[in-house]
Amino acid sequence: MLLLAKRMRDTSSLKWFKDALKGNDKVKVSLFVFGVFLISLIFYLMIFTGYTTLDDEIVGILAAPTQTVPILNSTFGTNLTTENITVYNQSTADGDGNLIKNIYSWDKNGQAFDVLNLPFEGPSNNSMTYEYSSSAHSLYFPVTNRPTWNATGGWDGYGCYDFNASSQQYFNVSDSNDLDLLSTSTVVFWIKPLNNSAVSGIIGKGRATTGITHHYLFGLNATMPRAYGVASPGYSDLQEFTNAQVLLSTWQHIAIRFNGSKAYLFQNGTNTDSIDYLLGGKNDEPLVIGGGLSGIYFNGSLDDITIYRAALSDEQISSFYNFGMHRIHNASTEVADVFRAYVIPNDGSEDGSNLSSAITILAPNNLPTIFNTHINSSAGNNRTGEGLRCYANVSDEDVGDLFTVNYTWYKNGVINNSGAKGVLLGIETRINVLTASFTTK
């Protein structure tokens, strides 16, 4: 907030005005009236242009970013399973001239596609941040062991949380059924690890201090930064992705995908390793960000944490890394899926309106087949004086399509007549008739 001025509290000006009135000093009265008018005009202009008073200070009102309804399109506009779908924000603007980051979230068939969505943008601070999935999870920051929100940090410079392992910093996402992962699920986040003096937990559901086994847990190995997972209900079976190395002091995109019996690690959109992996038993514990193992905490920065209750394809993980969350790859779509994209503009201080658009995925169109075409003369003798009739039948795998047969007559190699005829599927139809006047011997 910008401090512009202090309100005048000195009442001596009023006394001066009263004395001027008593003495009939027109010059002083005129000056006073003009001064009041001028101050009133200034206040009016300041309020009209976005400023108002708060207590005895005049402070700026920050304008929330605005947008109109986003457009959700498939690659070629036909909404087929062979096309990607992309949401485009429309007419996004900010009255304060701040840079805007669009926050994206998706529903699939009426349920959250991303069941956790933590971008860590403003108005996050050291005691709160927003969760943007349609699941609307509650978050808890401890009183003393809070991570530090970095307004200009993050992989994209729009905000992140910095965790100090020595201060045992973390925060929780309250327990929810949709945070109990299915056998096919994916966890995605950006990470910038610093030197970790011990094995550290980054994200996990359940805490060793409670005596409850982890449902899932991911972190780093201290001596050589590596990802690991819980392979069974006991955390004595921590496993490393031994073929993967996480770089220190560098932002990296990490995705861990479960397919029921294995976990696959993706770094910057590329599959780098896999391990045998079984999720631990479900529990009623919160999701812990920045911790997980008893007394073992993460040292570094985290950004854009998302969880999907689906085993995202290689193509989808690569797309999220290369193009961001506003694109769904066709490998994630099936016929009759209904995707809804939510767009929220954020200017680093506050969010604009949450607007959305939906799209229904259609089956690829199969080409119709024309068959049993034949031409007859009207009397069957093929003589002059008889007309000519053309017949055809149409087959197609798509249900409900309408069909038109285009025809062209050639006479001695030269186009004689052409047109189109609507036909019904599977019924032999007379397409066109040439009268006898068109035939010669």
Side-chain angles (χ1 to χ4, degrees):
M1 293 184 293
L2 178 64
L3 176 62
L4 296 180
K6 291 279 188 179
R7 244 189 326 205
M8 295 180 61
R9 292 180 177 269
D10 186 4
T11 58
S12 61
S13 57
L14 295 176
K15 183 176 181 300
W16 179 82
F17 178 62
K18 292 178 181 178
D19 292 341
L21 287 175
K22 290 179 181 179
N24 198 26
D25 191 332
K26 295 182 179 179
V27 175
K28 289 184 178 180
V29 172
S30 298
L31 288 174
F32 185 86
V33 172
F34 177 75
V36 171
F37 168 77
L38 184 60
I39 293 173
S40 300
L41 178 62
I42 292 173
F43 270 68
Y44 170 78
L45 291 175
M46 293 171 68
I47 293 174
F48 183 76
T49 55
Y51 292 92
T52 187
T53 58
L54 179 64
D55 191 23
D56 60 347
E57 296 182 353
I58 301 174
V59 297
I61 296 179
L62 300 177
T66 59
Q67 65 170 338
T68 56
V69 176
I71 294 175
L72 185 57
N73 276 343
S74 63
T75 305
F76 303 110
T78 51
N79 305 350
L80 303 180
T81 54
T82 54
E83 302 172 62
N84 303 328
I85 55 176
T86 306
V87 61
Y88 300 91
N89 59 292
Q90 298 295 303
S91 305
T92 306
D94 185 72
D96 304 312
N98 295 322
L99 295 176
I100 295 175
K101 176 179 177 177
N102 290 302
I103 298 170
Y104 302 97
S105 182
W106 293 87
D107 282 358
K108 181 179 180 180
N109 299 328
Q111 297 183 333
F113 184 57
D114 45 302
V115 296
L116 183 73
N117 190 337
L118 296 170
F120 300 149
E121 317 307 325
S124 299
N125 55 42
N126 291 351
S127 60
M128 63 80 66
T129 191
Y130 287 156
E131 199 280 312
Y132 287 88
S133 76
S134 58
S135 300
H137 296 288
S138 299
L139 282 71
Y140 165 76
F141 283 69
V143 176
T144 58
N145 300 55
R146 302 170 178 174
T148 301
W149 183 62
N150 185 342
T152 58
W155 69 274
D156 56 0
Y158 282 92
C160 71
Y161 276 99
D162 298 331
F163 294 80
N164 188 321
S166 62
S167 298
Q168 300 185 351
Q169 295 176 345
Y170 71 97
F171 69 88
N172 291 342
V173 182
S174 298
D175 175 55
S176 175
N177 288 338
D178 56 11
L179 295 179
D180 293 329
L181 300 188
L182 303 174
S183 58
T184 54
S185 300
T186 310
V187 178
V188 182
F189 53 89
W190 283 85
I191 183 173
K192 182 182 178 182
L194 302 177
N195 290 319
N196 287 269
S197 59
V199 173
S200 61
I202 296 173
I203 179 171
K205 194 168 188 299
R207 290 174 289 182
T209 54
T210 65
I212 300 175
T213 57
H214 285 85
H215 178 39
Y216 50 92
L217 172 67
F218 306 101
L220 297 177
N221 182 298
T223 56
M224 184 178 295
R226 296 184 187 272
Y228 63 81
V230 179
S232 73
Y235 44 76
S236 59
D237 293 322
L238 296 176
Q239 294 190 71
E240 293 183 357
F241 291 102
T242 54
N243 295 322
Q245 182 168 340
V246 179
L247 302 177
L248 296 177
S249 303
T250 302
W251 280 108
Q252 297 134 88
H253 185 267
I254 302 294
I256 304 100
R257 179 183 70 204
F258 314 106
N259 74 345
S261 60
K262 298 183 76 68
Y264 297 83
L265 176 70
F266 290 77
Q267 295 175 276
N268 293 340
T270 301
N271 180 212
T272 54
D273 202 1
S274 65
I275 56 174
D276 293 332
Y277 191 101
L278 295 174
L279 290 169
K282 297 178 181 180
N283 56 54
D284 297 328
E285 289 296 304
L287 181 72
V288 182
I289 308 294
L293 290 170
S294 178
I296 299 176
Y297 295 85
F298 174 63
N299 201 40
S301 302
L302 295 174
D303 196 10
D304 282 5
I305 298 175
T306 49
I307 294 179
Y308 302 87
R309 295 191 87 186
L312 300 182
S313 66
D314 291 19
E315 296 87 351
Q316 184 62 75
I317 293 172
S318 177
S319 177
F320 278 155
Y321 168 67
N322 287 292
F323 304 107
M325 284 186 63
H326 69 290
R327 177 180 295 185
I328 298 295
H329 194 275
N330 64 69
S332 298
T333 68
E334 295 179 355
V335 176
D337 278 344
V338 179
F339 279 89
R340 179 171 292 276
Y342 298 88
V343 182
I344 305 175
N346 179 280
D347 65 2
S349 297
E350 58 185 320
D351 293 332
S353 298
N354 183 355
L355 301 179
S356 68
S357 290
I359 197 170
T360 300
I361 306 302
L362 305 176
N365 185 55
N366 297 289
L367 296 178
T369 302
I370 191 167
F371 67 99
N372 197 25
T373 57
H374 56 279
I375 299 174
N376 288 336
S377 63
S378 56
N381 298 316
N382 299 343
R383 296 179 180 274
T384 56
E386 297 180 64
L388 297 179
R389 300 169 180 176
C390 175
Y391 296 84
N393 206 329
V394 174
S395 66
D396 188 69
E397 296 181 15
D398 300 319
V399 177
D401 286 349
L402 300 176
F403 304 95
T404 300
V405 173
N406 299 307
Y407 62 86
T408 301
W409 290 94
Y410 289 83
K411 181 179 180 180
N412 300 327
V414 178
I415 294 177
N416 180 269
N417 188 17
S418 62
K421 172 73 174 181
V423 300
L424 297 177
L425 181 66
I427 299 177
E428 184 175 279
T429 305
R430 187 171 64 188
I431 304 302
N432 188 247
V433 176
L434 281 180
T435 63
S437 62
F438 285 95
T439 63
T440 56
K441 183 176 179 180

